[in-house]
Amino acid sequence: MSVYTRVTEDDLRRLLADYSIGELEDFRGITAGITNTNYFVDTSTGRWVLTLFEQMDNGSLPFFMQLMDHLAGHGVPGAHPVARNDGGFLSRVQNRPAALVYRLAGASIETPSTGQCASLGGVVAEMHRAVRSFGEAQPNPRDLAWIAQARDRLAERLDADTAALLDDEIAFQRERARTTYRGLPEAVIHADMFRDNVLFEDDRVSGVIDFYYACHDYLLFDLAVICNDWAFDDDGDYRSGHWQAFIRAYHRRRALTDAEHGAWPAMLRAAALRFWASRLIDYHFPMDGDVTHIHDPGPFERLLRAHREAPPALFETP
């Protein structure tokens, strides 16, 4: 849904000269993603995905490359960066940092089945286990401090009711960070595992993509992000069976702690707040691009309001 930078055939031929993956055969922009520019690139030896990073510099990008390489080495199905001839993972295209990754089989699913949710639960648990041996870390770029800054930036764009809800929820989350969240298990998480960032072949996860919001945070936050997208349909109706299939498969591989059980209602709100704030910023301050799509912030506002009234349970009694 977003192509901010137009890439030419000459750009790609120059890029491929630094790799040993064959000659260019075809390429096209990808109609998915919000922050970065993505292209499918086909060469004489395989199929790849090129990402141009529109809002990141080279300082943070090695972390993402190392993480994806680490997870691939631990058998987690995901985007695996392609090494250049000099051993590095990063290049430049149109004066932007860029990386090639292996193109995964399968496709994202708009309406997942309970079997697909169960498969994802197992993969996410293995991912959370694998990152325990990953030595790098970086903070969440969309943490509560960023949300508070976004609130200030949005001050003149919001009506009184919306602003009051944002202020109240930010205050609530600050208090939870001092109390409820203390001691929760932490590690590097994906932090953006929406349905369009997971590929399936039938009921099996074939790959997790778009790790460019990965950061060190609570494992439970990763689960809350997933619940808010995978367990709710486009009308905002909760699908209990989908969430229970996911969380039971996850729990079999990484048991959740008592503290995580207690923090679950607040963490659902934290995840809804984070993406509501992000989409408010994207809506009111859109980036320029050749092909852009701005997500409606309304669904996450409604989800946050629903969680404040009656959040779904982490586990339900069979």
Side-chain angles (χ1 to χ4, degrees):
M1 299 172 189
S2 302
V3 175
Y4 300 105
T5 301
R6 184 64 62 184
V7 174
T8 69
E9 181 175 339
D10 287 343
D11 291 329
L12 290 173
R13 293 194 186 280
R14 284 192 294 270
L15 173 72
L16 292 174
D18 294 327
Y19 295 81
S20 297
I21 58 174
E23 300 296 322
L24 179 66
E25 293 188 344
D26 193 20
F27 69 99
R28 63 188 184 279
I30 301 176
T31 57
I34 295 299
T35 304
N36 299 314
T37 291
N38 297 284
Y39 279 81
F40 287 131
V41 177
D42 296 346
T43 73
S44 53
T45 66
R47 308 174 76 190
W48 324 92
V49 174
L50 170 67
T51 296
L52 276 63
F53 301 97
E54 301 287 350
Q55 298 181 357
M56 300 178 191
D57 57 30
N58 282 359
S60 60
L61 288 171
F63 168 81
F64 302 121
M65 301 297 112
Q66 294 162 16
L67 173 61
M68 292 187 288
D69 190 52
H70 176 86
L71 292 174
H74 284 72
V76 176
H80 187 189
V82 183
R84 294 161 41 98
N85 293 332
D86 63 8
F89 290 123
L90 292 169
S91 298
R92 292 196 76 82
V93 176
Q94 291 282 357
N95 202 34
R96 286 166 172 74
L100 282 165
V101 300
Y102 290 84
R103 184 175 172 183
L104 299 166
S108 59
I109 303 297
E110 290 187 9
T111 306
S113 67
T114 55
Q116 289 164 338
C117 290
S119 177
L120 180 62
V123 168
V124 174
E126 293 303 329
M127 185 182 305
H128 286 175
R129 288 159 56 96
V131 293
R132 291 184 296 194
S133 59
F134 183 61
E136 304 297 324
Q138 71 175 24
N140 189 340
R142 298 291 175 94
D143 62 5
L144 196 56
W146 180 90
I147 293 171
Q149 292 171 358
R151 162 67 179 90
D152 292 341
R153 188 180 177 193
L154 290 161
E156 296 182 359
R157 307 292 181 100
L158 304 178
D159 61 50
D161 182 60
T162 301
L165 177 60
L166 263 175
D167 289 341
D168 188 69
E169 190 61 32
I170 289 170
F172 173 83
Q173 292 298 332
R174 282 175 174 157
E175 178 61 24
R176 298 289 81 71
R178 290 192 293 266
T179 57
T180 309
Y181 300 157
R182 292 178 65 86
L184 293 179
E186 299 178 52
V188 173
I189 64 172
H190 186 283
D192 192 34
M193 203 175 296
F194 283 66
R195 281 169 276 173
D196 57 358
N197 284 333
V198 182
L199 308 179
F200 287 90
E201 289 187 302
D202 298 322
D203 276 355
R204 181 182 64 84
V205 173
S206 58
V208 177
I209 62 174
D210 200 353
F211 281 85
Y212 303 117
Y213 281 105
C215 56
H216 188 92
D217 210 317
Y218 304 115
L219 299 182
L220 194 67
F221 181 80
D222 230 7
L223 302 186
V225 171
I226 293 167
C227 181
N228 282 342
D229 186 58
W230 292 76
F232 289 85
D233 64 22
D234 292 338
D235 294 323
D237 294 327
Y238 178 56
R239 298 177 292 189
S240 172
H242 289 68
W243 177 246
Q244 292 306 307
F246 172 93
I247 197 62
R248 293 185 186 283
Y250 179 95
H251 187 70
R252 284 195 293 270
R253 293 163 177 82
R254 190 193 80 85
L256 286 95
T257 66
D258 290 343
E260 288 176 306
H261 281 262
W264 178 243
M267 196 65 76
L268 282 172
R269 291 168 57 171
L273 173 66
R274 177 262 190 262
F275 287 96
W276 182 34
S278 292
R279 292 185 178 186
L280 282 170
I281 288 290
D282 291 342
Y283 181 82
H284 289 287
F285 303 98
M287 290 175 57
D288 292 330
D290 280 355
V291 182
T292 60
H293 174 78
I294 305 301
H295 281 305
D296 178 9
F300 274 102
E301 177 182 355
R302 292 189 289 273
L303 191 61
L304 175 59
R305 291 183 184 276
H307 288 338
R308 286 162 62 96
E309 294 295 327
L314 181 60
F315 284 94
E316 295 177 4
T317 302

PDB file of all heavy atoms in Angstrom, residues 161-186:
ATOM      1  N   ASP A 161     -12.877  15.078  23.324  1.00  0.00           N
ATOM      2  CA  ASP A 161     -13.099  13.723  23.808  1.00  0.00           C
ATOM      3  C   ASP A 161     -11.919  12.823  23.471  1.00  0.00           C
ATOM      4  O   ASP A 161     -11.460  12.029  24.305  1.00  0.00           O
ATOM      5  CB  ASP A 161     -14.384  13.160  23.202  1.00  0.00           C
ATOM      6  CG  ASP A 161     -14.692  11.764  23.712  1.00  0.00           C
ATOM      7  OD1 ASP A 161     -14.860  11.600  24.938  1.00  0.00           O
ATOM      8  OD2 ASP A 161     -14.748  10.819  22.886  1.00  0.00           O
ATOM      9  N   THR A 162     -11.399  12.919  22.256  1.00  0.00           N
ATOM     10  CA  THR A 162     -10.259  12.100  21.847  1.00  0.00           C
ATOM     11  C   THR A 162      -9.031  12.462  22.667  1.00  0.00           C
ATOM     12  O   THR A 162      -8.300  11.578  23.147  1.00  0.00           O
ATOM     13  CB  THR A 162      -9.973  12.304  20.349  1.00  0.00           C
ATOM     14  OG1 THR A 162     -11.128  11.940  19.600  1.00  0.00           O
ATOM     15  CG2 THR A 162      -8.796  11.454  19.903  1.00  0.00           C
ATOM     16  N   ALA A 163      -8.791  13.738  22.842  1.00  0.00           N
ATOM     17  CA  ALA A 163      -7.636  14.167  23.622  1.00  0.00           C
ATOM     18  C   ALA A 163      -7.733  13.687  25.069  1.00  0.00           C
ATOM     19  O   ALA A 163      -6.732  13.252  25.658  1.00  0.00           O
ATOM     20  CB  ALA A 163      -7.515  15.686  23.578  1.00  0.00           C
ATOM     21  N   ALA A 164      -8.931  13.742  25.636  1.00  0.00           N
ATOM     22  CA  ALA A 164      -9.112  13.302  27.023  1.00  0.00           C
ATOM     23  C   ALA A 164      -8.845  11.812  27.167  1.00  0.00           C
ATOM     24  O   ALA A 164      -8.241  11.370  28.155  1.00  0.00           O
ATOM     25  CB  ALA A 164     -10.525  13.639  27.494  1.00  0.00           C
ATOM     26  N   LEU A 165      -9.289  11.019  26.190  1.00  0.00           N
ATOM     27  CA  LEU A 165      -9.036   9.583  26.235  1.00  0.00           C
ATOM     28  C   LEU A 165      -7.540   9.295  26.151  1.00  0.00           C
ATOM     29  O   LEU A 165      -7.013   8.463  26.913  1.00  0.00           O
ATOM     30  CB  LEU A 165      -9.777   8.875  25.104  1.00  0.00           C
ATOM     31  CG  LEU A 165      -9.541   7.357  24.991  1.00  0.00           C
ATOM     32  CD1 LEU A 165      -9.974   6.642  26.265  1.00  0.00           C
ATOM     33  CD2 LEU A 165     -10.287   6.792  23.777  1.00  0.00           C
ATOM     34  N   LEU A 166      -6.855   9.971  25.244  1.00  0.00           N
ATOM     35  CA  LEU A 166      -5.408   9.784  25.129  1.00  0.00           C
ATOM     36  C   LEU A 166      -4.709  10.138  26.443  1.00  0.00           C
ATOM     37  O   LEU A 166      -3.861   9.377  26.937  1.00  0.00           O
ATOM     38  CB  LEU A 166      -4.860  10.654  24.004  1.00  0.00           C
ATOM     39  CG  LEU A 166      -4.656  10.019  22.628  1.00  0.00           C
ATOM     40  CD1 LEU A 166      -4.222  11.074  21.626  1.00  0.00           C
ATOM     41  CD2 LEU A 166      -3.637   8.894  22.687  1.00  0.00           C
ATOM     42  N   ASP A 167      -5.052  11.259  27.009  1.00  0.00           N
ATOM     43  CA  ASP A 167      -4.408  11.693  28.248  1.00  0.00           C
ATOM     44  C   ASP A 167      -4.658  10.700  29.380  1.00  0.00           C
ATOM     45  O   ASP A 167      -3.745  10.366  30.145  1.00  0.00           O
ATOM     46  CB  ASP A 167      -4.930  13.073  28.655  1.00  0.00           C
ATOM     47  CG  ASP A 167      -4.440  14.181  27.738  1.00  0.00           C
ATOM     48  OD1 ASP A 167      -3.447  13.963  27.025  1.00  0.00           O
ATOM     49  OD2 ASP A 167      -5.072  15.262  27.726  1.00  0.00           O
ATOM     50  N   ASP A 168      -5.879  10.226  29.495  1.00  0.00           N
ATOM     51  CA  ASP A 168      -6.220   9.308  30.578  1.00  0.00           C
ATOM     52  C   ASP A 168      -5.492   7.977  30.418  1.00  0.00           C
ATOM     53  O   ASP A 168      -4.981   7.414  31.394  1.00  0.00           O
ATOM     54  CB  ASP A 168      -7.733   9.077  30.615  1.00  0.00           C
ATOM     55  CG  ASP A 168      -8.145   8.279  31.839  1.00  0.00           C
ATOM     56  OD1 ASP A 168      -8.051   8.818  32.961  1.00  0.00           O
ATOM     57  OD2 ASP A 168      -8.540   7.103  31.671  1.00  0.00           O
ATOM     58  N   GLU A 169      -5.410   7.499  29.179  1.00  0.00           N
ATOM     59  CA  GLU A 169      -4.756   6.206  28.964  1.00  0.00           C
ATOM     60  C   GLU A 169      -3.247   6.313  29.136  1.00  0.00           C
ATOM     61  O   GLU A 169      -2.609   5.385  29.673  1.00  0.00           O
ATOM     62  CB  GLU A 169      -5.091   5.647  27.582  1.00  0.00           C
ATOM     63  CG  GLU A 169      -4.657   4.210  27.383  1.00  0.00           C
ATOM     64  CD  GLU A 169      -5.317   3.221  28.346  1.00  0.00           C
ATOM     65  OE1 GLU A 169      -6.485   3.466  28.736  1.00  0.00           O
ATOM     66  OE2 GLU A 169      -4.671   2.215  28.715  1.00  0.00           O
ATOM     67  N   ILE A 170      -2.657   7.418  28.721  1.00  0.00           N
ATOM     68  CA  ILE A 170      -1.218   7.611  28.943  1.00  0.00           C
ATOM     69  C   ILE A 170      -0.917   7.616  30.438  1.00  0.00           C
ATOM     70  O   ILE A 170       0.040   6.991  30.911  1.00  0.00           O
ATOM     71  CB  ILE A 170      -0.740   8.911  28.267  1.00  0.00           C
ATOM     72  CG1 ILE A 170      -0.743   8.744  26.746  1.00  0.00           C
ATOM     73  CG2 ILE A 170       0.664   9.292  28.750  1.00  0.00           C
ATOM     74  CD1 ILE A 170      -0.530  10.036  25.977  1.00  0.00           C
ATOM     75  N   ALA A 171      -1.746   8.300  31.216  1.00  0.00           N
ATOM     76  CA  ALA A 171      -1.552   8.323  32.670  1.00  0.00           C
ATOM     77  C   ALA A 171      -1.706   6.926  33.262  1.00  0.00           C
ATOM     78  O   ALA A 171      -0.931   6.524  34.148  1.00  0.00           O
ATOM     79  CB  ALA A 171      -2.547   9.290  33.317  1.00  0.00           C
ATOM     80  N   PHE A 172      -2.710   6.182  32.795  1.00  0.00           N
ATOM     81  CA  PHE A 172      -2.918   4.813  33.274  1.00  0.00           C
ATOM     82  C   PHE A 172      -1.696   3.950  32.974  1.00  0.00           C
ATOM     83  O   PHE A 172      -1.219   3.186  33.841  1.00  0.00           O
ATOM     84  CB  PHE A 172      -4.160   4.233  32.605  1.00  0.00           C
ATOM     85  CG  PHE A 172      -4.386   2.771  32.883  1.00  0.00           C
ATOM     86  CD1 PHE A 172      -5.022   2.359  34.044  1.00  0.00           C
ATOM     87  CD2 PHE A 172      -3.964   1.800  31.981  1.00  0.00           C
ATOM     88  CE1 PHE A 172      -5.238   1.004  34.308  1.00  0.00           C
ATOM     89  CE2 PHE A 172      -4.178   0.453  32.238  1.00  0.00           C
ATOM     90  CZ  PHE A 172      -4.814   0.054  33.398  1.00  0.00           C
ATOM     91  N   GLN A 173      -1.165   4.039  31.762  1.00  0.00           N
ATOM     92  CA  GLN A 173      -0.028   3.202  31.385  1.00  0.00           C
ATOM     93  C   GLN A 173       1.245   3.598  32.134  1.00  0.00           C
ATOM     94  O   GLN A 173       2.071   2.739  32.470  1.00  0.00           O
ATOM     95  CB  GLN A 173       0.193   3.257  29.880  1.00  0.00           C
ATOM     96  CG  GLN A 173      -0.916   2.597  29.064  1.00  0.00           C
ATOM     97  CD  GLN A 173      -1.057   1.112  29.347  1.00  0.00           C
ATOM     98  OE1 GLN A 173      -0.097   0.430  29.725  1.00  0.00           O
ATOM     99  NE2 GLN A 173      -2.275   0.591  29.156  1.00  0.00           N
ATOM    100  N   ARG A 174       1.406   4.871  32.440  1.00  0.00           N
ATOM    101  CA  ARG A 174       2.553   5.282  33.246  1.00  0.00           C
ATOM    102  C   ARG A 174       2.503   4.643  34.630  1.00  0.00           C
ATOM    103  O   ARG A 174       3.522   4.188  35.164  1.00  0.00           O
ATOM    104  CB  ARG A 174       2.573   6.806  33.366  1.00  0.00           C
ATOM    105  CG  ARG A 174       3.109   7.513  32.131  1.00  0.00           C
ATOM    106  CD  ARG A 174       2.992   9.005  32.258  1.00  0.00           C
ATOM    107  NE  ARG A 174       3.626   9.700  31.143  1.00  0.00           N
ATOM    108  CZ  ARG A 174       3.331  10.920  30.742  1.00  0.00           C
ATOM    109  NH1 ARG A 174       2.379  11.619  31.384  1.00  0.00           N
ATOM    110  NH2 ARG A 174       3.959  11.464  29.722  1.00  0.00           N
ATOM    111  N   GLU A 175       1.315   4.586  35.210  1.00  0.00           N
ATOM    112  CA  GLU A 175       1.167   3.967  36.523  1.00  0.00           C
ATOM    113  C   GLU A 175       1.415   2.466  36.450  1.00  0.00           C
ATOM    114  O   GLU A 175       2.055   1.882  37.328  1.00  0.00           O
ATOM    115  CB  GLU A 175      -0.224   4.253  37.075  1.00  0.00           C
ATOM    116  CG  GLU A 175      -0.498   3.620  38.426  1.00  0.00           C
ATOM    117  CD  GLU A 175       0.448   4.110  39.519  1.00  0.00           C
ATOM    118  OE1 GLU A 175       1.001   5.224  39.382  1.00  0.00           O
ATOM    119  OE2 GLU A 175       0.632   3.376  40.508  1.00  0.00           O
ATOM    120  N   ARG A 176       0.918   1.809  35.415  1.00  0.00           N
ATOM    121  CA  ARG A 176       1.142   0.374  35.266  1.00  0.00           C
ATOM    122  C   ARG A 176       2.636   0.058  35.081  1.00  0.00           C
ATOM    123  O   ARG A 176       3.128  -0.961  35.544  1.00  0.00           O
ATOM    124  CB  ARG A 176       0.360  -0.163  34.059  1.00  0.00           C
ATOM    125  CG  ARG A 176      -1.145  -0.031  34.152  1.00  0.00           C
ATOM    126  CD  ARG A 176      -1.795  -0.982  35.166  1.00  0.00           C
ATOM    127  NE  ARG A 176      -1.704  -0.509  36.537  1.00  0.00           N
ATOM    128  CZ  ARG A 176      -2.395   0.529  37.035  1.00  0.00           C
ATOM    129  NH1 ARG A 176      -3.219   1.230  36.285  1.00  0.00           N
ATOM    130  NH2 ARG A 176      -2.269   0.866  38.298  1.00  0.00           N
ATOM    131  N   ALA A 177       3.359   0.943  34.367  1.00  0.00           N
ATOM    132  CA  ALA A 177       4.798   0.736  34.179  1.00  0.00           C
ATOM    133  C   ALA A 177       5.543   0.771  35.506  1.00  0.00           C
ATOM    134  O   ALA A 177       6.553   0.076  35.684  1.00  0.00           O
ATOM    135  CB  ALA A 177       5.362   1.790  33.231  1.00  0.00           C
ATOM    136  N   ARG A 178       5.040   1.560  36.457  1.00  0.00           N
ATOM    137  CA  ARG A 178       5.673   1.647  37.773  1.00  0.00           C
ATOM    138  C   ARG A 178       5.277   0.498  38.684  1.00  0.00           C
ATOM    139  O   ARG A 178       5.968   0.228  39.679  1.00  0.00           O
ATOM    140  CB  ARG A 178       5.305   2.972  38.444  1.00  0.00           C
ATOM    141  CG  ARG A 178       5.935   4.205  37.801  1.00  0.00           C
ATOM    142  CD  ARG A 178       5.753   5.432  38.682  1.00  0.00           C
ATOM    143  NE  ARG A 178       4.346   5.816  38.781  1.00  0.00           N
ATOM    144  CZ  ARG A 178       3.774   6.719  37.988  1.00  0.00           C
ATOM    145  NH1 ARG A 178       4.473   7.314  37.038  1.00  0.00           N
ATOM    146  NH2 ARG A 178       2.501   7.038  38.151  1.00  0.00           N
ATOM    147  N   THR A 179       4.178  -0.172  38.371  1.00  0.00           N
ATOM    148  CA  THR A 179       3.636  -1.178  39.289  1.00  0.00           C
ATOM    149  C   THR A 179       3.439  -2.526  38.595  1.00  0.00           C
ATOM    150  O   THR A 179       4.262  -3.433  38.725  1.00  0.00           O
ATOM    151  CB  THR A 179       2.304  -0.677  39.876  1.00  0.00           C
ATOM    152  OG1 THR A 179       1.388  -0.369  38.804  1.00  0.00           O
ATOM    153  CG2 THR A 179       2.517   0.571  40.730  1.00  0.00           C
ATOM    154  N   THR A 180       2.385  -2.647  37.841  1.00  0.00           N
ATOM    155  CA  THR A 180       1.950  -3.942  37.287  1.00  0.00           C
ATOM    156  C   THR A 180       2.977  -4.577  36.378  1.00  0.00           C
ATOM    157  O   THR A 180       3.141  -5.815  36.367  1.00  0.00           O
ATOM    158  CB  THR A 180       0.633  -3.752  36.506  1.00  0.00           C
ATOM    159  OG1 THR A 180      -0.295  -3.056  37.326  1.00  0.00           O
ATOM    160  CG2 THR A 180       0.052  -5.091  36.084  1.00  0.00           C
ATOM    161  N   TYR A 181       3.694  -3.791  35.581  1.00  0.00           N
ATOM    162  CA  TYR A 181       4.597  -4.354  34.588  1.00  0.00           C
ATOM    163  C   TYR A 181       5.982  -4.690  35.139  1.00  0.00           C
ATOM    164  O   TYR A 181       6.770  -5.364  34.463  1.00  0.00           O
ATOM    165  CB  TYR A 181       4.772  -3.389  33.407  1.00  0.00           C
ATOM    166  CG  TYR A 181       3.510  -3.054  32.660  1.00  0.00           C
ATOM    167  CD1 TYR A 181       3.409  -1.885  31.914  1.00  0.00           C
ATOM    168  CD2 TYR A 181       2.391  -3.896  32.686  1.00  0.00           C
ATOM    169  CE1 TYR A 181       2.259  -1.551  31.223  1.00  0.00           C
ATOM    170  CE2 TYR A 181       1.232  -3.577  32.006  1.00  0.00           C
ATOM    171  CZ  TYR A 181       1.167  -2.398  31.273  1.00  0.00           C
ATOM    172  OH  TYR A 181       0.028  -2.085  30.597  1.00  0.00           O
ATOM    173  N   ARG A 182       6.277  -4.241  36.316  1.00  0.00           N
ATOM    174  CA  ARG A 182       7.613  -4.474  36.874  1.00  0.00           C
ATOM    175  C   ARG A 182       7.859  -5.969  37.051  1.00  0.00           C
ATOM    176  O   ARG A 182       7.048  -6.676  37.637  1.00  0.00           O
ATOM    177  CB  ARG A 182       7.775  -3.751  38.204  1.00  0.00           C
ATOM    178  CG  ARG A 182       7.788  -2.230  38.086  1.00  0.00           C
ATOM    179  CD  ARG A 182       7.895  -1.566  39.448  1.00  0.00           C
ATOM    180  NE  ARG A 182       9.165  -1.866  40.098  1.00  0.00           N
ATOM    181  CZ  ARG A 182      10.275  -1.166  39.904  1.00  0.00           C
ATOM    182  NH1 ARG A 182      10.281  -0.132  39.075  1.00  0.00           N
ATOM    183  NH2 ARG A 182      11.384  -1.477  40.538  1.00  0.00           N
ATOM    184  N   GLY A 183       8.972  -6.450  36.521  1.00  0.00           N
ATOM    185  CA  GLY A 183       9.331  -7.857  36.659  1.00  0.00           C
ATOM    186  C   GLY A 183       8.774  -8.779  35.596  1.00  0.00           C
ATOM    187  O   GLY A 183       9.046  -9.983  35.626  1.00  0.00           O
ATOM    188  N   LEU A 184       7.995  -8.257  34.655  1.00  0.00           N
ATOM    189  CA  LEU A 184       7.512  -9.113  33.572  1.00  0.00           C
ATOM    190  C   LEU A 184       8.671  -9.572  32.701  1.00  0.00           C
ATOM    191  O   LEU A 184       9.640  -8.840  32.510  1.00  0.00           O
ATOM    192  CB  LEU A 184       6.497  -8.352  32.705  1.00  0.00           C
ATOM    193  CG  LEU A 184       5.163  -7.967  33.327  1.00  0.00           C
ATOM    194  CD1 LEU A 184       4.321  -7.207  32.301  1.00  0.00           C
ATOM    195  CD2 LEU A 184       4.409  -9.195  33.824  1.00  0.00           C
ATOM    196  N   PRO A 185       8.605 -10.789  32.135  1.00  0.00           N
ATOM    197  CA  PRO A 185       9.677 -11.260  31.249  1.00  0.00           C
ATOM    198  C   PRO A 185       9.870 -10.317  30.060  1.00  0.00           C
ATOM    199  O   PRO A 185       8.898  -9.885  29.438  1.00  0.00           O
ATOM    200  CB  PRO A 185       9.172 -12.638  30.796  1.00  0.00           C
ATOM    201  CG  PRO A 185       8.237 -13.079  31.877  1.00  0.00           C
ATOM    202  CD  PRO A 185       7.575 -11.831  32.369  1.00  0.00           C
ATOM    203  N   GLU A 186      11.131 -10.012  29.774  1.00  0.00           N
ATOM    204  CA  GLU A 186      11.475  -9.121  28.679  1.00  0.00           C
ATOM    205  C   GLU A 186      12.502  -9.773  27.767  1.00  0.00           C
ATOM    206  O   GLU A 186      13.308 -10.596  28.203  1.00  0.00           O
ATOM    207  CB  GLU A 186      12.072  -7.809  29.213  1.00  0.00           C
ATOM    208  CG  GLU A 186      11.172  -7.000  30.112  1.00  0.00           C
ATOM    209  CD  GLU A 186      11.874  -5.754  30.624  1.00  0.00           C
ATOM    210  OE1 GLU A 186      12.423  -4.996  29.785  1.00  0.00           O
ATOM    211  OE2 GLU A 186      11.896  -5.547  31.850  1.00  0.00           O
TER     212      GLU A 186
END
